[in-house]
Amino acid sequence: MNDTQIIKILASIIAQSAPLMLAVTGETITERGGVINLSLDGTMLLSAMTGFVVALQSNLMLEGMGITGNMLPVLLGFAAAALVGILAALLIAWGSIRLRQDQVAIGFVLTLLLADMANFLGQNHTRIPGPSVAYMPIPLLKDIPALGPMFFSHNLAIYFAFLVVGLAWWWTYKTQPGLRLRGVGDRPESAFARGIKVNRLRYIYTAIGGALVGIAGATYSLSIKLGWSDNHILGIGWIALAIVIFGGWHPVRGAFGAILYGATKALATVLQQAFPEVPVVLFNSLQWLLMLGVLLLAGSKGLQRLVDIVPRPLQRPLARSLRVAAPQSLGKVFVEE
Amino acid sequence: MQKRHTLYTAMLALAVILLLSACQQADAPATTEPAPTEEVTEAPVMTEEPTEEPTAEVTEEMPEELIFGMVLVGPKNDHGWSQAHFEAGQYVEQNIEGAKMIVFESLNSADKPEATLEGVVSDMVDQGATLIITTSDEFEEDTTTVAGLHPDVTFINASGDDTWDQRQDTTVSPPANLGNVMGRMEYMKAVAGCSAALATETGSVAYLGPLINHETLRLASSAYLGARYCYENYRGEDPDSLTFTVTWIGFWFNIPGVTLDPTEVTNQFFDSGADVVISGIDTTEGIVVASQRAEKGERVFAVPYDYQGACDTAPDICLGVPFFNWGPAYLDIAQSLQDGTWEQSFDWLGPDWPDLTNKDTSHVGWVDGPGLLEEWKTNLDAFISGQADGSINVWTGPINLQDGTEYVAEGAVATDPEIWYLPQLLEGMIGASE
């Protein structure tokens, strides 16, 4: 395998990790606010289907009106998918905040419902070609050796995912509203005492997170796994939920986890060819072994030993970056009174 | 508080109703498909058959209703393996008056972990099915077991070999009401391999494999042998310089978190230098990814699988499709059951060479894709003609297994059992064999 091929593989890993990064970032924002949206799998399936069908139908309609080009239909598809994500997320927030019911239970039932709805509603649009996000390499940047093909030779959906991760990090850790977001997820009582409308913020961030999850679903059907089929991306939502924990509820670490997940899957393909004598099933489970290993390591004394090995000035930042701590009020109902 | 409670109850009830209705519609555990009215004129209609019977008594009888079950491993609209079977069932409905198909889709542990073949078959028998076709090697073992439980029902397992008198596993005692049917896809996979060898510029062809078993090993290997033949004889290249990589995703279609993702695998094929991907899985990811890469300006091609219309997904980069046409085989079985002549058999059915796309006669076929250039087509047609008249047989030795063991001696031709039970990939192929 030569350098060009390795760069191409890395570029593919990055592109294919983008929707997972979006979903992980969306859920990280939601959970940072204290709400668990467990409906990710169903939401992503329904939004993938909705995004594709809306793009397909609007494209046909616009063509009938003499308007050609994929851009508008694809944008409409993403908008519809975001709306699906928002509605699902708000249903969970409403059930939790207003009705004071168990978020996990609502989310679990909802994910089953939405997955079946996606298959049912999308059955007439299975495996047919439709519009997709156009390839859009960035002039000049795409020509940078190695980095150009890896990061700047994709489409807008992929660039958007990276932008969202950066924005989420900046918003969460570098702004006052971000501080309030973390406050309502960690110590809602204190936040409320300081005059923050905890539940209103939770609605808002749950909706924003849901929108990103919806966009992630549509990124699959309009950019990565083009079109719609039964159970098109079934299971990806659960993977995203696992990566949120793996990422320690941090947008950048979550994005790293998504790319790592993609890389282990790519590695499984490479290893299958390199070691034909090893049963292929083993390589397919690589990503789970890796995640399990990291999660166990993060919760054990082994992590401290790892930190102790590095030079002293690096110990604090490394320990901080590896720390896994859930928002303290995650999943807990807060009564404003 | 009371108001909130009522609201919650209403919401929960709505959710349950929606869930149940969606499940009913989407899963459709066993629905009777109405016979399509289209295309009836294209196929031979069997209504005249009773008049050929010797006695007047028979001609006066109303045609007996035939209810048959079709158990699919994937959805009926997968544009692949399962859809080909489903459409074959429709073909039977069109050609036998009163025939009705009961379909059960997506019987696999990922989609319906709670469902078993035994349960599905019981439901179908309760609905009056007298013939049940199970359409995957995944069902082979269970079909043999279930057939023993329902001796009055005839079972056909597609791609299994339990009833073959040359079967490898002689410990199996197939019940008398079980039959097997399979198409000789080896020929068409060789055509697929040939088309890839004609089109490749990088000298690297990739094969998107499902799981590893005898069937998939022999089909991938047939594609390889076809590719080698054409690379050498039509391109004038050294066949040993052709790179042929097989990656197995782990199942017949993508199951996130369980299998390798065929979208990612196909991307990796192209990233690693392959410019033609031949699909061996039930679904269309190979051609979809190829179309994405072509849109980026890459010169790549795809050969999808299973379903005649698979090229429609991305015609411009499609070299052609090897496909199954189960209709004639199922029609024969259904007719022989109706007239009482059915006997247990293992049918490994070939193409109608002069007319590979004839839906009434050819059990397997090949259709050229729009991406196949005219210059390649000439050679491909010659290859097909050579296979038809026997002057080309890619399974002619010397053929070695991947580990170097001689499998077919120089000048010898592989026997049917040798082809069916191929134990490994062949020497020269890159990929896992177990």
Side-chain angles (χ1 to χ4, degrees):
Chain A
M1 194 174 287
N2 58 38
D3 290 352
T4 311
Q5 289 170 350
I6 291 171
I7 289 167
K8 275 188 170 183
I9 289 173
L10 292 174
S12 289
I13 290 170
I14 284 164
Q16 285 157 33
S17 304
L20 198 52
M21 283 165 55
L22 278 170
V24 169
T25 307
E27 181 65 9
T28 298
I29 291 171
T30 301
E31 295 196 11
R32 271 284 168 204
V35 177
I36 301 173
N37 179 355
L38 210 66
S39 76
L40 247 61
D41 206 42
T43 302
M44 286 176 73
L45 270 168
L46 189 60
S47 55
M49 187 279 294
T50 306
F52 175 69
V53 172
V54 167
L56 180 73
Q57 295 299 339
S58 57
N59 191 36
L60 291 174
M61 208 161 64
L62 288 168
E63 278 180 357
M65 294 160 63
I67 304 167
T68 54
N70 273 355
M71 185 67 111
L72 185 56
V74 164
L75 281 176
L76 288 171
F78 274 111
L83 190 63
V84 167
I86 290 171
L87 289 175
L90 283 180
L91 191 59
I92 288 174
W94 179 67
S96 161
I97 296 169
R98 174 84 178 168
L99 304 178
R100 297 180 195 173
Q101 298 302 318
D102 187 344
Q103 295 167 11
V104 172
I106 299 172
F108 191 73
V109 172
L110 200 58
T111 203
L112 299 175
L113 171 68
L114 298 183
D116 272 341
M117 276 179 71
N119 287 338
F120 170 56
L121 297 173
Q123 60 188 330
N124 291 328
H125 295 89
T126 300
R127 298 194 185 282
I128 51 175
S132 59
V133 189
Y135 174 56
M136 199 176 283
I138 300 176
L140 300 177
L141 293 178
K142 73 178 169 58
D143 299 321
I144 301 171
L147 293 178
M150 277 169 62
F151 292 102
F152 305 114
S153 292
H154 299 291
N155 63 45
L156 276 178
I158 313 299
Y159 306 138
F160 177 73
F162 278 89
L163 188 68
V164 162
V165 172
L167 273 176
W169 169 80
W170 172 76
W171 185 265
T172 310
Y173 292 101
K174 300 293 174 190
T175 67
Q176 277 297 319
L179 190 62
R180 284 198 283 274
L181 163 65
R182 286 184 284 147
V184 300
D186 280 328
R187 295 187 184 82
E189 300 83 1
S190 307
F192 186 66
R194 287 167 190 237
I196 295 170
K197 292 185 171 163
V198 171
N199 286 336
R200 193 175 73 174
L201 266 190
R202 284 185 167 179
Y203 271 120
I204 290 170
Y205 283 111
T206 305
I208 291 171
L212 290 176
V213 169
I215 291 170
T219 304
Y220 275 111
S221 58
L222 294 171
S223 170
I224 304 294
K225 296 164 73 67
L226 298 187
W228 170 252
S229 60
D230 245 24
N231 292 334
H232 198 62
I233 47 169
L234 187 74
I236 293 285
W238 298 111
I239 291 164
L241 281 162
I243 293 176
V244 170
I245 301 169
F246 174 86
W249 292 267
H250 188 289
V252 176
R253 278 181 54 179
F256 175 71
I259 293 173
L260 194 64
Y261 173 81
T264 52
K265 290 184 78 182
L267 189 65
T269 313
V270 173
L271 289 176
Q272 191 185 119
Q273 289 158 20
F275 301 100
E277 68 279 6
V278 178
V280 295
V281 182
L282 182 67
F283 296 130
N284 293 4
S285 55
L286 256 185
Q287 65 265 27
W288 306 117
L289 292 173
L290 182 79
M291 275 191 193
L292 192 64
V294 172
L295 284 173
L296 291 175
L297 183 70
S300 72
K301 288 178 181 171
L303 186 65
Q304 190 54 48
R305 292 200 191 103
L306 186 73
V307 171
D308 291 342
I309 294 169
V310 301
R312 187 169 290 274
L314 295 175
Q315 285 183 0
R316 262 192 75 182
L318 181 66
R320 200 168 53 209
S321 67
L322 290 176
R323 193 171 54 222
V324 174
Q328 290 171 25
S329 294
L330 181 60
K332 291 179 187 164
V333 175
F334 178 72
V335 183
E336 293 182 354
E337 54 190 28
Chain B
M1 191 68 191
Q2 180 61 37
K3 187 181 167 190
R4 187 182 299 148
H5 183 74
T6 309
L7 201 59
Y8 174 64
T9 309
M11 191 191 79
L12 194 65
L14 183 65
V16 169
I17 291 166
L18 279 171
L19 181 64
L20 289 175
S21 64
C23 287
Q24 272 182 350
Q25 296 285 347
D27 288 350
T31 54
T32 305
E33 292 292 329
T37 51
E38 292 175 282
E39 300 177 27
V40 172
T41 51
E42 286 184 24
V45 179
M46 308 312 295
T47 48
E48 287 179 12
E49 202 175 65
T51 58
E52 295 168 9
E53 296 291 331
T55 63
E57 273 179 34
V58 177
T59 54
E60 283 168 12
E61 278 180 10
M62 289 293 286
E64 196 180 336
E65 186 184 44
L66 171 73
I67 298 175
F68 64 99
M70 186 73 74
V71 186
L72 305 175
V73 70
K76 67 184 179 195
N77 57 354
D78 66 354
H79 282 213
W81 172 268
S82 290
Q83 185 160 345
H85 285 283
F86 174 70
E87 292 187 0
Q90 289 183 316
Y91 178 84
V92 173
E93 287 181 325
Q94 288 163 12
N95 287 287
I96 296 183
E97 197 179 335
K100 281 183 183 168
M101 172 167 57
I102 307 169
V103 183
F104 190 95
E105 298 177 68
S106 301
L107 181 60
N108 64 74
S109 57
D111 286 328
K112 292 181 182 152
E114 75 291 352
T116 62
L117 184 67
E118 190 177 342
V120 171
V121 163
S122 288
D123 285 347
M124 288 179 167
V125 172
D126 289 346
Q127 291 179 62
T130 52
L131 165 66
I132 293 176
I133 302 168
T134 62
T135 63
S136 173
D137 72 321
E138 293 287 306
F139 307 145
E140 182 179 9
E141 210 172 299
D142 288 346
T143 305
T144 305
T145 307
V146 172
L149 301 174
H150 298 276
D152 298 332
V153 178
T154 301
F155 287 83
I156 301 297
N157 175 243
S159 76
D161 63 351
D162 280 357
T163 61
W164 195 11
D165 54 8
Q166 299 185 67
R167 66 182 174 276
Q168 214 169 45
D169 184 0
T170 51
T171 61
V172 177
S173 303
N177 56 331
L178 173 69
N180 289 120
V181 62
M182 185 58 182
R184 285 189 185 264
M185 180 51 73
E186 296 68 43
Y187 292 119
M188 300 303 121
K189 282 288 185 180
V191 176
C194 178
S195 73
L198 294 170
T200 182
E201 271 187 2
T202 61
S204 178
V205 173
Y207 191 93
L208 186 59
L211 41 79
I212 304 175
N213 62 22
H214 290 307
E215 176 188 335
T216 59
L217 287 169
R218 71 172 178 267
L219 294 183
S221 298
S222 295
Y224 172 64
L225 292 172
R228 274 183 72 93
Y229 183 92
C230 294
Y231 204 56
E232 181 177 16
N233 291 285
Y234 301 131
R235 297 281 303 270
E237 304 278 356
D238 174 9
D240 291 338
S241 69
L242 180 72
T243 303
F244 195 99
T245 308
V246 182
T247 297
W248 309 100
I249 65 164
F251 197 63
W252 294 101
F253 45 80
N254 182 40
I255 305 174
V258 177
T259 62
L260 292 178
D261 185 333
T263 300
E264 292 172 15
V265 173
T266 309
N267 268 307
Q268 200 168 9
F269 283 149
F270 292 135
D271 292 339
S272 305
D275 57 357
V276 185
V277 63
I278 302 171
S279 177
I281 65 172
D282 285 359
T283 49
T284 52
E285 284 86 347
I287 190 168
V288 170
V289 171
S291 74
Q292 280 177 297
R293 305 291 289 233
E295 195 190 323
K296 284 183 172 182
E298 294 180 30
R299 184 194 174 281
V300 295
F301 296 96
V303 182
Y305 181 40
D306 278 335
Y307 177 64
Q308 192 170 353
C311 270
D312 297 347
T313 305
D316 293 345
I317 49 89
C318 185
L319 296 176
V321 197
F323 61 90
F324 285 100
N325 179 34
W326 303 95
Y330 292 164
L331 183 61
D332 276 351
I333 291 165
Q335 283 171 343
S336 63
L337 270 174
Q338 278 205 317
D339 58 28
T341 58
W342 184 84
E343 283 182 6
Q344 181 176 74
S345 63
F346 167 84
D347 301 316
W348 196 5
L349 303 163
D352 178 3
W353 285 109
D355 192 359
L356 289 175
T357 55
N358 189 326
K359 62 188 286 190
D360 299 321
T361 55
S362 196
H363 300 283
V364 291
W366 166 269
V367 61
D368 289 339
L372 191 77
L373 298 184
E374 206 54 43
E375 63 203 80
W376 303 336
K377 185 173 161 44
T378 308
N379 287 330
L380 195 67
D381 286 346
F383 180 72
I384 292 171
S385 301
Q387 285 203 102
D389 63 25
S391 59
I392 298 173
N393 186 338
V394 297
W395 283 93
T396 304
I399 296 173
N400 290 349
L401 298 178
Q402 195 177 44
D403 63 7
T405 314
E406 182 182 87
Y407 194 60
V408 182
E410 183 154 9
V413 174
T415 61
D416 276 355
E418 280 173 338
I419 295 174
W420 184 276
Y421 294 113
L422 184 71
Q424 298 173 23
L425 292 176
L426 302 179
E427 193 173 58
M429 300 173 80
I430 302 168
S433 279
E434 59 183 78

